[in-house]
């Protein structure tokens, strides 16, 4: 393993006793089955306790997350992913959820430090970055209402991004690294899978593959930071800031905009607007990566 990635051994070592492709596949399949089961059981309980009109309203809210309830439920549901991973890790690999996060105290320190650096970066960019008046965001929620939801929104978002990082950068990446020594395998493969899971031609239209490419690039950056730091702290912080801005600060209109303080006057399927923003998003990802590298060196 490269010297730059020597800290990653903390996550790789617990994976070695069960580092076979078959076990990884079995673990992932078990996760999918468990998440599906948890969702179905929860849905059955809710359906039995709610009226037909209430169920229809909830289904509509969850479909596009166009109101706070829909957003929060879609985020909190990722707790099922964490529960499924805990079971799969213990039953298939004989390791705990904590073993794919890294040393807890180090992870917390790196998370907080990364958040501090990223907060400074976002403030600077929001103040000095030029904006296009044609696609400037419009107020979506009153600030007072938005603030009232934050005590629920922040832990919900942390659960969502934490679950994705534990699955892709913690679990998949460490198990592959324990089996295959080349970073090309254990960085790229989970990142490509992560990207492909963002493919949605119905929602994103002609931009579907652009979204996949961006998500894959994000996965590569998060994977690199995880290998350099030896914990999920920096990757979770990066994911948290990215999703906080995209979901709670300024979101494209029409989908997952129910808790956004502002919304852009275009949908994610708008070719002109999305392609105009794509270079900015990639630049932001690259600058965030450099900022976190600096944070980890101090």
């Amino acid at each position: 393993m490269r010297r730059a990635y020597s800290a990653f051994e903390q996550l790789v070592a617990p994976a070695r006793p069960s580092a076979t492709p078959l076990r990884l596949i079995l673990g992932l399949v078990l996760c999918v089955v468990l998440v599906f089961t948890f969702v179905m059981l929860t849905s059955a309980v809710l359906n039995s306790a709610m009226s037909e009109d209430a169920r229809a309203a909830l289904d509509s809210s969850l479909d596009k997350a166009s109101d706070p309830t829909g957003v929060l439920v879609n985020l909190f549901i990722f707790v099922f992913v964490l529960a499924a991973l805990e079971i799969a890790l213990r039953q298939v690999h004989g390791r705990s959820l904590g073993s794919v996060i890294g040393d807890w105290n180090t992870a917390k320190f790196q998370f907080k430090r990364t958040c501090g650096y990223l907060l400074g970066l976002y403030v600077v960019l929001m103040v000095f970055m030029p904006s296009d008046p044609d696609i400037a965001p419009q107020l979506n929620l009153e600030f007072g209402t938005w603030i009232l939801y934050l005590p629920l929104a922040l832990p919900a978002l942390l659960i969502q991004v934490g679950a994705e990082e534990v699955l892709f950068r913690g679990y998949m990446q460490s198990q592959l690294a324990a089996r295959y020594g080349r970073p090309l395998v254990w960085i790229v493969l989970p990142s490509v899978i992560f990207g492909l899971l963002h493919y949605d031609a119905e929602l994103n239209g002609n931009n579907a593959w652009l979204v996949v490419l961006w998500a894959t690039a994000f996965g590569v950056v998060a994977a690199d930071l995880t290998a350099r730091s030896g914990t999920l702290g920096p990757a979770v912080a990066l994911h948290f800031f990215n999703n906080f801005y995209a979901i709670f600060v300024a979101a494209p209109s029409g989908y997952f905009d129910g808790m956004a303080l502002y919304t852009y006057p275009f949908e994610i399927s708008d070719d002109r607007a999305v392609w105009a923003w794509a270079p900015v998003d990639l630049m932001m990802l690259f600058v965030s990566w450099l900022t976190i590298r600096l944070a980890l060196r101090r």
Side-chain angles (χ1 to χ4, degrees), residues 214-260:
W214 187 91
T216 300
F218 180 93
V220 169
V221 167
D224 174 80
L225 292 173
T226 299
R228 290 178 184 276
S229 64
T231 81
L232 292 186
V236 171
L238 172 66
H239 208 154
F240 183 85
F241 266 78
N242 177 82
N243 284 21
F244 181 82
Y245 186 86
I247 296 173
F248 298 123
V249 178
S253 62
Y255 181 75
F256 234 96
D257 58 355
M259 282 195 63

Side-chain angles (χ1 to χ4, degrees), residues 76-152:
F76 273 121
I77 204 170
F78 277 83
V79 74
F80 293 147
V81 177
L82 290 173
L85 279 167
E86 171 68 17
I87 295 172
L89 282 164
R90 290 191 179 277
Q91 296 301 316
V92 178
H93 299 280
R95 55 188 301 203
S96 67
L97 194 64
S99 71
V100 302
I101 295 173
D103 178 74
W104 184 246
N105 290 328
T106 303
K108 286 193 298 181
F109 172 78
Q110 291 176 340
F111 174 82
K112 293 176 181 178
R113 190 173 188 84
T114 300
C115 283
Y117 274 67
L118 288 178
L119 179 60
L121 173 66
Y122 272 70
V123 169
V124 169
L125 291 179
M126 289 177 69
V127 171
F128 294 104
M129 183 180 291
S131 60
D132 185 342
D134 293 334
I135 54 174
Q138 310 295 321
L139 186 66
N140 182 54
L141 283 180
E142 293 296 331
F143 185 74
T145 302
W146 184 76
I147 285 291
L148 287 175
Y149 277 111
L150 283 188
L152 281 175

Side-chain angles (χ1 to χ4, degrees), residues 37-290:
T37 302
F38 294 153
V39 171
M40 290 298 102
L41 288 174
T42 302
S43 178
V45 171
L46 290 176
N47 286 339
S48 65
M50 300 171 67
S51 67
E52 185 175 341
D53 289 342
R55 289 199 303 271
L58 180 60
D59 289 342
S60 177
S61 174
L62 294 178
D63 186 34
K64 291 193 173 183
S66 55
D67 59 39
T69 299
V71 173
L72 289 173
V73 173
N74 272 290
L75 295 176
F76 273 121
I77 204 170
F78 277 83
V79 74
F80 293 147
V81 177
L82 290 173
L85 279 167
E86 171 68 17
I87 295 172
L89 282 164
R90 290 191 179 277
Q91 296 301 316
V92 178
H93 299 280
R95 55 188 301 203
S96 67
L97 194 64
S99 71
V100 302
I101 295 173
D103 178 74
W104 184 246
N105 290 328
T106 303
K108 286 193 298 181
F109 172 78
Q110 291 176 340
F111 174 82
K112 293 176 181 178
R113 190 173 188 84
T114 300
C115 283
Y117 274 67
L118 288 178
L119 179 60
L121 173 66
Y122 272 70
V123 169
V124 169
L125 291 179
M126 289 177 69
V127 171
F128 294 104
M129 183 180 291
S131 60
D132 185 342
D134 293 334
I135 54 174
Q138 310 295 321
L139 186 66
N140 182 54
L141 283 180
E142 293 296 331
F143 185 74
T145 302
W146 184 76
I147 285 291
L148 287 175
Y149 277 111
L150 283 188
L152 281 175
L154 295 180
L157 181 62
L158 190 58
I159 287 172
Q160 183 255 320
V161 300
E164 291 190 356
E165 291 308 313
V166 166
L167 174 60
F168 290 97
R169 263 61 72 176
Y171 176 36
M172 292 182 63
Q173 184 172 324
S174 65
Q175 289 296 142
L176 287 170
R179 177 72 177 187
Y180 307 100
R182 300 179 63 186
L184 186 64
V185 175
W186 49 263
I187 285 182
V188 175
L189 182 57
S191 300
V192 169
I193 296 173
F194 179 74
L196 289 173
L197 288 175
H198 286 76
Y199 180 83
D200 189 336
E202 182 178 353
L203 173 65
N204 300 324
N206 295 329
N207 301 319
W209 285 108
L210 179 62
V211 173
V212 169
L213 289 174
W214 187 91
T216 300
F218 180 93
V220 169
V221 167
D224 174 80
L225 292 173
T226 299
R228 290 178 184 276
S229 64
T231 81
L232 292 186
V236 171
L238 172 66
H239 208 154
F240 183 85
F241 266 78
N242 177 82
N243 284 21
F244 181 82
Y245 186 86
I247 296 173
F248 298 123
V249 178
S253 62
Y255 181 75
F256 234 96
D257 58 355
M259 282 195 63
L261 183 60
Y262 296 93
T263 55
Y264 290 105
F266 60 83
E267 297 184 358
I268 195 68
S269 58
D270 186 321
D271 293 358
R272 185 189 70 85
V274 171
W275 278 93
W277 270 108
V280 177
D281 285 342
L282 286 174
M283 180 275 293
M284 187 65 190
L285 180 61
F286 178 69
V287 173
S288 296
W289 175 71
L290 290 177

